[in-house]
Amino acid sequence: MNRIGHKAARSTGVLILAAGQGTRMESSIPKILHPVGGRPIIYYVLRVANALKPAAIGVVVGHEAEEVKKAILQIAKDCGISRPLQFIEQKKQLGSGNAVLESVPFLKKFSSAMVLCGDTPLLTYESLASLHRGHEEHKAQATLLTARMGNPKGYGRIVRTATGDVLKIVEESVATPKEAAINEINSGAYCFEVAALLSGLSQIGAKGPKGEHFLTDILELVRTKGGRIIAHLSSNPEEALGINTRVQLAAAERIINRRMLERLMLSGVTVVDPSSTHVDADVEVGQDSIIEPFTILRGKTKVGSKCRVGPFCFIEDAQVGNECEVRTSQLRGCRVLEKCVIGPYSNIRPESVIGPRAKVGNFSEVKASRVGFGSKVPHLSYIGDTDIREDVNVGAGSITCNYDGKLKHKTTIEAKAFIGSGTMMVAPLRVGKGAVTGAGAVVTRDVPDGVTVVGVPAKPIVRGGGK
Ligand code: UD1
Ligand code: MG
């Protein structure tokens, strides 16, 4: 594959425009930081830019610049953005043309530049690589990625001559009805010969109701100076989707989800009903796992192979080992090790580790606790700040009373202990190895190994004590 920063002599920089406020989102959050597929919109643009291996990536920031920079640096760290990253400040958001004008010192370092909008997360590596290839092969001064949209509303329209050459891009706010009827639109992804770009940039005037400088006006300027402009029509119009409103955000979410589900299915995961299944962009699922309907896998969730997950599961930032069954349950920030059975209706909360071969069942909640090898919490329990060792059985309705109103306390239940139904374990507490609590016991003191306690408050049964 032709990497775009390959030859130093004809090096390419990528410039991402991300300074806009995103007024149409009606939000206090900068537009490009809104999550889609579990990641900020800008993440996808940075990821595809990085994959192209340009000489450097410049990001134009302006609205809430500090917050945006911080988020981008975090993304770069999390996702291994390997190309040199540089921020360019656009002091006033005077339009995309002005954003590029402010970037001249960055652009000057390269012979060609790819310009992308920060709000187009669906652009694919293949399209951008071929956009760049076409640009270089034709020795064009400007090459743009276009698409035919069923509903072109809101996008810049591509006006062509009778012979099919690109004449100009007309923004909707200044388009004539005839121009507005054109369904070929500008995706906002372009390659420029830097010299041609720089020679026209400063001539872009203010236009439209807000007096903005439209980057798209550069094409007409390049053309009138004798430059060659090429339009590269995308075969897949959905990738040109730009997010200006929350309606478009939801449309992008649907597409990212579909792409993700297709990737999982093609890698050997059964998704019983893709239309009711939601999987974020970074989720991993192993081969021969089955995802049942109405299941949501979010964030950095990893599910092993040969698992059955769903129906009706919500799993976020959690790891599920191989051969687990998780039904109608919520798992967040926890680890479920192999061959466990979870649910129905369990809530496994952050910092919990379950298994291997453990069971947490009907209406049981586990918080910041370990449930050891082969142990069972099958019915109606609350287990908090607890270490349950191996082969423990926790009877129905048992609770670790971890909170005294001021502080949280820990409970340890040693191996092979048997907790009778409805036991209240008042922490801090240690229930010894092989110890037993009777049904309904309220255990307020440590239970030594092998001892059985009953009653309220629970006391040891004295065996052979006589009458
Ligand atoms: C833009 C294009 C339009 C194209 C569409 C594709 C222009 C004038 N129009 O319209 O032809 O069809 O994208 O999605 O470019 N930005 C800045 N500084 C500014 C203004 C904007 O950095 O002063 C950034 C924004 O953060 C955004 C990008 O430029 O990432 C595009 O701006 P936006 O307002 O979304 O333009 P559109 O109306 O979508
Ligand atoms: Mg936009």
Short mmCIF file of all heavy atoms in Angstrom, two decimals, residues 22 24 31 117-120 154-155 187 241-245 248, ligand 2:
data_model
loop_
_atom_site.label_atom_id
_atom_site.label_comp_id
_atom_site.label_asym_id
_atom_site.label_seq_id
_atom_site.Cartn_x
_atom_site.Cartn_y
_atom_site.Cartn_z
N GLY A 22 -19.60 23.71 16.50
CA GLY A 22 -20.63 22.71 16.28
C GLY A 22 -21.98 23.20 16.76
O GLY A 22 -22.69 22.50 17.49
N ARG A 24 -24.84 23.48 15.58
CA ARG A 24 -26.06 22.72 15.29
C ARG A 24 -26.25 21.50 16.19
O ARG A 24 -27.29 20.86 16.18
CB ARG A 24 -26.06 22.31 13.80
CG ARG A 24 -26.23 23.51 12.87
CD ARG A 24 -25.79 23.20 11.44
NE ARG A 24 -24.34 23.31 11.27
CZ ARG A 24 -23.68 23.12 10.13
NH1 ARG A 24 -24.36 22.78 9.04
NH2 ARG A 24 -22.37 23.25 10.06
N LYS A 31 -18.27 19.73 19.48
CA LYS A 31 -18.88 18.70 18.62
C LYS A 31 -18.02 17.45 18.44
O LYS A 31 -18.51 16.33 18.60
CB LYS A 31 -19.18 19.31 17.24
CG LYS A 31 -19.65 18.28 16.23
CD LYS A 31 -20.20 18.89 14.97
CE LYS A 31 -19.16 19.48 14.08
NZ LYS A 31 -19.77 19.94 12.81
N CYS A 117 -12.07 16.94 7.60
CA CYS A 117 -12.89 17.59 8.63
C CYS A 117 -12.92 16.68 9.85
O CYS A 117 -13.02 15.45 9.71
CB CYS A 117 -14.31 17.80 8.13
SG CYS A 117 -14.40 19.02 6.80
N GLY A 118 -12.89 17.28 11.02
CA GLY A 118 -12.90 16.49 12.26
C GLY A 118 -14.25 15.84 12.55
O GLY A 118 -14.36 15.05 13.48
N ASP A 119 -15.27 16.17 11.75
CA ASP A 119 -16.61 15.65 12.05
C ASP A 119 -17.07 14.59 11.04
O ASP A 119 -18.26 14.34 10.90
CB ASP A 119 -17.63 16.80 12.12
CG ASP A 119 -17.79 17.54 10.80
OD1 ASP A 119 -17.02 17.27 9.85
OD2 ASP A 119 -18.69 18.40 10.71
N THR A 120 -16.11 13.97 10.33
CA THR A 120 -16.46 12.92 9.36
C THR A 120 -15.81 11.59 9.79
O THR A 120 -14.77 11.20 9.24
CB THR A 120 -15.99 13.31 7.95
OG1 THR A 120 -14.61 13.69 8.04
CG2 THR A 120 -16.79 14.47 7.39
N GLY A 154 -27.52 20.24 3.34
CA GLY A 154 -26.48 20.64 4.29
C GLY A 154 -25.07 20.57 3.75
O GLY A 154 -24.16 21.18 4.31
N TYR A 155 -24.86 19.80 2.69
CA TYR A 155 -23.49 19.62 2.17
C TYR A 155 -23.19 20.63 1.06
O TYR A 155 -24.10 21.18 0.42
CB TYR A 155 -23.34 18.21 1.59
CG TYR A 155 -23.41 17.12 2.62
CD1 TYR A 155 -24.62 16.49 2.90
CD2 TYR A 155 -22.28 16.71 3.32
CE1 TYR A 155 -24.69 15.48 3.85
CE2 TYR A 155 -22.34 15.70 4.27
CZ TYR A 155 -23.55 15.09 4.53
OH TYR A 155 -23.62 14.10 5.47
N SER A 187 -17.32 15.70 0.38
CA SER A 187 -17.18 14.96 1.66
C SER A 187 -16.37 15.77 2.67
O SER A 187 -16.36 15.43 3.86
CB SER A 187 -16.45 13.64 1.41
OG SER A 187 -15.09 13.90 1.12
N LEU A 241 -20.60 10.87 5.34
CA LEU A 241 -21.48 11.50 6.33
C LEU A 241 -20.71 12.43 7.28
O LEU A 241 -19.73 12.02 7.90
CB LEU A 241 -22.19 10.41 7.16
CG LEU A 241 -23.20 10.96 8.15
CD1 LEU A 241 -24.62 10.70 7.67
CD2 LEU A 241 -23.04 10.34 9.53
N GLY A 242 -21.15 13.66 7.34
CA GLY A 242 -20.56 14.62 8.27
C GLY A 242 -21.53 14.85 9.41
O GLY A 242 -22.74 14.90 9.18
N ILE A 243 -21.00 14.96 10.62
CA ILE A 243 -21.90 15.10 11.78
C ILE A 243 -22.02 16.58 12.14
O ILE A 243 -21.09 17.17 12.69
CB ILE A 243 -21.39 14.28 12.96
CG1 ILE A 243 -21.35 12.79 12.58
CG2 ILE A 243 -22.30 14.49 14.19
CD1 ILE A 243 -20.83 11.88 13.66
N ASN A 244 -23.16 17.15 11.82
CA ASN A 244 -23.44 18.52 12.24
C ASN A 244 -24.55 18.57 13.28
O ASN A 244 -24.64 19.53 14.05
CB ASN A 244 -23.85 19.38 11.04
CG ASN A 244 -22.67 19.59 10.08
OD1 ASN A 244 -21.51 19.62 10.51
ND2 ASN A 244 -22.96 19.69 8.80
N THR A 245 -25.42 17.56 13.28
CA THR A 245 -26.56 17.53 14.19
C THR A 245 -26.60 16.19 14.91
O THR A 245 -25.91 15.24 14.51
CB THR A 245 -27.89 17.67 13.43
OG1 THR A 245 -28.08 16.47 12.64
CG2 THR A 245 -27.90 18.87 12.50
N GLN A 248 -27.60 13.35 12.66
CA GLN A 248 -26.47 12.74 11.93
C GLN A 248 -25.58 11.92 12.86
O GLN A 248 -25.01 10.92 12.45
CB GLN A 248 -25.67 13.85 11.23
CG GLN A 248 -26.44 14.41 10.04
CD GLN A 248 -25.89 15.73 9.55
OE1 GLN A 248 -25.40 16.55 10.33
NE2 GLN A 248 -26.00 15.98 8.25
MG MG B 2 -19.65 19.40 9.21
#
